[in-house]
Amino acid sequence: MTPIIQVQNLVKKYKKATSNAVDGISFSVNTGKFFSLLGPNGAGKTTTISILTTTLSKTSGTMEIAGFNVDKNPSEVRRSVGIIFQNPSLDLNLTAEENIRLHTILYGMYSFRPTFSLMPQEYKKRVFELSEVLGIKEDVFKPIKTFSGGMKRKLEIIRSLMHRPKVLFLDEPTIGLDPVSRKNLWEYLTSIRKSEKITIFLTTHYLEEAQDADHICIIKNGKIVSQGTPQKITSDLIDEYVVIDSPKKEQLRKELTQQKVLFKENGGFKITVKAKDVWKMIRSIDTPLSLVRTHTPTLEEAYLEIVERNETTNA
Amino acid sequence: MRELNAILTIAYRDFTKFLRDKPRIVISFIFPFIFIGVLGASLDANLSREVGYSFLVFTFSGVLAQTLFQSTASGIISLIEDRENDFSQEIFVSPISRYSIVLGKILGESLVAFAQVVGVFVFGFVIGIPLSLTQILTFLPIGLIVCLFGGAFGIMILGNLSNQRSANQLFPFIIFPQFFLSGVFSPISNLPWYLFLLSRISPMTYAVDMVRGFYYLGTPEYSKVVLMSPFWNLAVIGILFLIFLIVGTFMFVRNERNK
């Protein structure tokens, strides 16, 4: 499969800054994949997205999106991507539909028409289709001053999909949304990812949102500190373990030692073992147990481990 | 074609915004009334006999040009407001030429300025300013040129500003002296050399004088009121328009991308 996004040695140094905001990162994303760029505040995530979407100049490096060089063919790149910005970028003086219409005309899909009724049938159909899926069909002709944060986000997603982009950039799309809106949004994003075969480029602080990503890149201070599938990142870093305990601690300790099982005692007995082997180990123990708790590491733990580890090496 | 549609839709957005902004509409109609009705009428009552032409008409023609020029120029500054509302991101990632963005904005603000000028005309009729059909029809293309010029001037200022606050502080400082230097209310046919110099580097001077040139064309007051040939004004405006537009857009885009 050919990569749809390719970034090589991207560097960005802001004017008057002493260090690089993005410091030589390279990665590639394959077509139709779900890619997530993670990192603490100020790591360089938004800077990277801004450069990839041509709204910010780079310092050095090469980038290609959908086969187009970002520096040489910015117009083609812009046409190939959709973006949900960190800060909502809607015109609050217009209605939802007017915002969408403005977008489609700017992207050269239709000729300028001053009213919705004069727009082609195809346009109307797609507006209704998308707004129905997102559940804002009734509000499409209302001024968006009255919209909630979740509705604005949904409107931006509809808008960004109107020109059928190949890559959808989402820069912290669920920031400030309540859990229900977040869940709705993700259900929708997952479904359009499948139906539109779109490549997704996500930055987020909610790590459970990145759990389903095909590939994750963690950056810190402008550098990549870890990358791979979420499973690989978590299993490389965090051990899977099981905690067991018994009312007869003495007997359990003796038995584990006899069986040459390595354990750590902190309240219970912490034993490093893969989840699939837990049952085998439990069966081999004769001492009656009062506690069996398996621990499967989450991406969040791995992330914290990576970010904090770097904290100490930097210090 | 694509670029033309983009220009039209950006212009339409601007005009829609104006129509939905009630306080702005009211304010934009009040100023010309004050300038012509209060300032013009009082100057007229006291000075017209001395100079040999009606000050009311003089102020009226000046305010026409000034309203168009200033309204378009200050409207362009709202591109900064868009940037602070993050809306400009949406326009700047779209696959259209940066000149289309600026031209669309200028066209939109020109429409807004024309809407305001309708009020000035109505007021002119009410107070009995002589207006022939030819004068009104000539005004349409001339007025549009003044708008485009004001818009290009606006983008030139904008290219050098970074935020709304500095815009709000600087803009009156740049526009206000031009009211007097360009002779909107006061005749500038006789000026000390330093004011003469300042008056000739004020872009608004050429806009005001051109509008007057066409308004007074063929009337006995022409030689007393008009300073330069309207065609000379037109040429100066054409050249300055291109310089302002190209340099202004270049600087504005550079400020947007190079941070």
Side-chain angles (χ1 to χ4, degrees):
Chain A
M1 208 183 286
T2 50
I4 193 155
I5 305 176
Q6 265 185 309
V7 176
Q8 261 166 359
N9 286 321
L10 178 63
V11 175
K12 173 67 188 179
K13 186 165 182 266
Y14 282 100
K15 278 186 200 166
K16 294 175 193 162
T18 46
S19 59
N20 293 339
V22 173
D23 197 6
I25 62 171
S26 305
F27 58 83
S28 65
V29 182
N30 285 339
T31 308
K33 295 292 179 189
F34 175 7
F35 175 87
S36 184
L37 189 63
L38 305 175
N41 290 328
K45 303 184 298 290
T46 301
T47 303
T48 306
I49 286 199
S50 302
I51 296 173
L52 282 175
T53 55
T54 76
T55 52
L56 185 67
S57 62
K58 63 171 189 189
T59 303
S60 67
T62 55
M63 298 149 292
E64 240 177 52
I65 290 183
F68 299 107
N69 185 297
V70 174
D71 298 301
K72 290 178 192 143
N73 282 313
S75 270
E76 294 299 329
V77 170
R78 290 188 199 121
R79 211 160 293 159
S80 312
V81 305
I83 308 145
I84 310 295
F85 299 99
Q86 203 170 58
N87 307 314
S89 62
L90 298 163
D91 187 337
L92 302 182
N93 295 294
L94 303 180
T95 69
E97 188 274 326
E98 283 167 336
N99 268 285
I100 299 173
R101 186 157 17 110
L102 182 84
H103 180 90
T104 57
I105 298 169
L106 288 183
Y107 279 74
M109 299 175 65
Y110 307 104
S111 300
F112 169 73
R113 300 275 183 284
T115 63
F116 177 72
S117 53
L118 293 173
M119 289 299 281
Q121 210 53 44
E122 182 201 340
Y123 166 84
K124 295 179 187 168
K125 206 175 137 234
R126 182 122 168 112
V127 169
F128 284 133
E129 234 171 53
L130 287 171
S131 55
E132 186 158 15
V133 181
L134 278 184
I136 60 168
K137 196 173 178 180
E138 280 84 58
D139 306 295
V140 119
F141 296 106
K142 287 186 187 157
I144 51 172
K145 272 180 190 149
T146 59
F147 277 31
S148 67
M151 281 160 76
K152 283 184 191 156
R153 273 305 187 202
K154 286 176 180 178
L155 175 60
E156 289 193 284
I157 292 180
I158 295 181
R159 185 176 70 176
S160 68
L161 292 174
M162 287 301 290
H163 65 283
R164 299 183 193 272
K166 294 184 182 118
V167 184
L168 185 60
F169 287 90
L170 299 153
D171 194 4
E172 298 183 25
T174 55
I175 205 156
L177 296 190
D178 63 66
V180 178
S181 307
R182 266 174 66 193
K183 185 170 158 276
N184 283 340
L185 202 64
W186 274 105
E187 279 170 4
Y188 176 65
L189 281 172
T190 313
S191 79
I192 57 136
R193 215 192 115 213
K194 287 184 185 123
S195 62
E196 314 256 324
K197 296 198 172 50
I198 202 166
T199 307
I200 292 199
F201 187 115
L202 169 81
T203 76
T204 181
H205 285 300
Y206 299 104
L207 290 149
E208 67 272 22
E209 293 179 348
Q211 194 84 53
D212 294 330
D214 297 302
H215 194 88
I216 285 177
C217 220
I218 300 178
I219 58 172
K220 180 142 192 269
N221 297 328
K223 287 195 171 76
I224 294 179
V225 287
S226 177
Q227 61 175 321
T229 62
Q231 291 71 26
K232 183 174 170 296
I233 288 180
T234 41
S235 61
D236 278 2
L237 273 160
I238 308 284
D239 295 332
E240 290 177 62
Y241 60 89
V242 60
V243 179
I244 57 175
D245 206 356
S246 167
K248 300 173 176 173
K249 279 188 189 280
E250 202 56 45
Q251 192 185 329
L252 182 59
R253 195 176 295 124
K254 203 188 251 171
E255 193 181 354
L256 289 173
T257 318
Q258 270 168 9
Q259 292 198 26
K260 290 180 179 141
V261 175
L262 294 172
F263 62 89
K264 262 188 214 159
E265 265 190 84
N266 53 352
F269 296 77
K270 183 178 164 184
I271 301 157
T272 305
V273 60
K274 294 278 173 217
K276 62 178 169 44
D277 300 325
V278 169
W279 68 277
K280 216 188 279 173
M281 196 206 65
I282 301 291
R283 271 208 331 200
S284 69
I285 296 170
D286 293 328
T287 316
L289 297 175
S290 58
L291 171 78
V292 176
R293 198 179 69 224
T294 56
H295 177 86
T296 322
T298 63
L299 182 60
E300 182 142 4
E301 285 173 283
Y303 173 82
L304 290 172
E305 172 80 23
I306 291 167
V307 171
E308 280 162 10
R309 179 186 62 194
N310 277 273
E311 208 78 68
T312 47
T313 47
N314 281 345
Chain B
M1 218 33 222
R2 175 205 293 275
E3 299 290 335
L4 184 66
N5 279 314
I7 291 173
L8 285 176
T9 196
I10 291 175
Y12 182 72
R13 163 185 174 252
D14 252 36
F15 194 59
T16 312
K17 264 178 82 167
F18 171 71
L19 292 181
R20 287 178 191 168
D21 193 346
K22 300 276 165 356
R24 192 172 154 206
I25 295 178
V26 173
I27 288 169
S28 67
F29 283 126
I30 287 175
F31 268 105
F33 292 173
I34 295 175
F35 288 154
I36 305 170
V38 179
L39 200 57
S42 63
L43 288 173
D44 187 50
N46 292 290
L47 294 172
S48 287
R49 209 171 309 149
E50 313 274 327
V51 290
Y53 53 86
S54 161
F55 245 91
L56 205 55
V57 179
F58 179 83
T59 316
F60 172 80
S61 55
V63 168
L64 274 185
Q66 170 262 330
T67 303
L68 292 178
F69 185 87
Q70 189 198 343
S71 167
T72 318
S74 66
I76 293 299
I77 308 289
S78 71
L79 264 172
I80 284 200
E81 195 184 313
D82 285 341
R83 177 158 64 196
E84 283 173 14
N85 294 336
D86 295 308
F87 179 74
S88 66
Q89 298 179 117
E90 155 75 359
I91 291 188
F92 272 85
V93 292
S94 65
I96 54 169
S97 152
R98 311 295 95 167
Y99 287 99
S100 299
I101 298 175
V102 169
L103 280 174
K105 196 79 193 173
I106 292 179
L107 187 64
E109 291 304 330
S110 302
L111 285 172
V112 171
F114 258 95
Q116 296 177 15
V117 139
V118 170
V120 180
F121 268 110
V122 170
F123 189 63
F125 275 118
V126 172
I127 59 171
I129 303 278
L131 277 170
S132 70
L133 189 64
T134 328
Q135 277 170 326
I136 294 174
L137 289 180
T138 333
F139 178 74
L140 290 177
I142 297 304
L144 183 66
I145 290 168
V146 172
C147 287
L148 295 176
F149 184 45
F153 177 70
I155 195 76
M156 182 75 182
I157 305 288
L158 183 69
N160 290 293
L161 296 175
S162 51
N163 60 51
Q164 181 85 48
R165 241 185 90 229
S166 56
N168 288 344
Q169 286 170 343
L170 194 69
F171 193 68
F173 187 71
I174 292 173
I175 277 289
F176 207 60
Q178 293 199 52
F179 280 21
F180 304 105
L181 291 169
S182 66
V184 175
F185 321 106
S186 48
I188 52 165
S189 30
N190 293 306
L191 289 174
W193 66 268
Y194 49 93
L195 285 184
F196 177 83
L197 204 69
L198 286 174
S199 142
R200 290 306 184 270
I201 58 170
S202 298
M204 207 196 272
T205 303
Y206 302 94
V208 170
D209 198 49
M210 180 176 71
V211 169
R212 286 211 178 108
F214 284 102
Y215 178 85
Y216 283 101
L217 205 64
T219 65
E221 293 97 338
Y222 183 90
S223 57
K224 290 179 192 157
V225 174
V226 181
L227 306 168
M228 298 166 271
S229 145
F231 299 101
W232 165 252
N233 284 323
L234 197 60
V236 173
I237 287 175
I239 293 166
L240 287 180
F241 171 77
L242 285 177
I243 296 175
F244 288 166
L245 184 70
I246 292 168
V247 176
T249 307
F250 174 78
M251 287 199 295
F252 178 64
V253 172
R254 197 192 53 184
N255 283 352
E256 281 287 318
R257 280 194 84 233
N258 295 9
K259 287 179 190 160

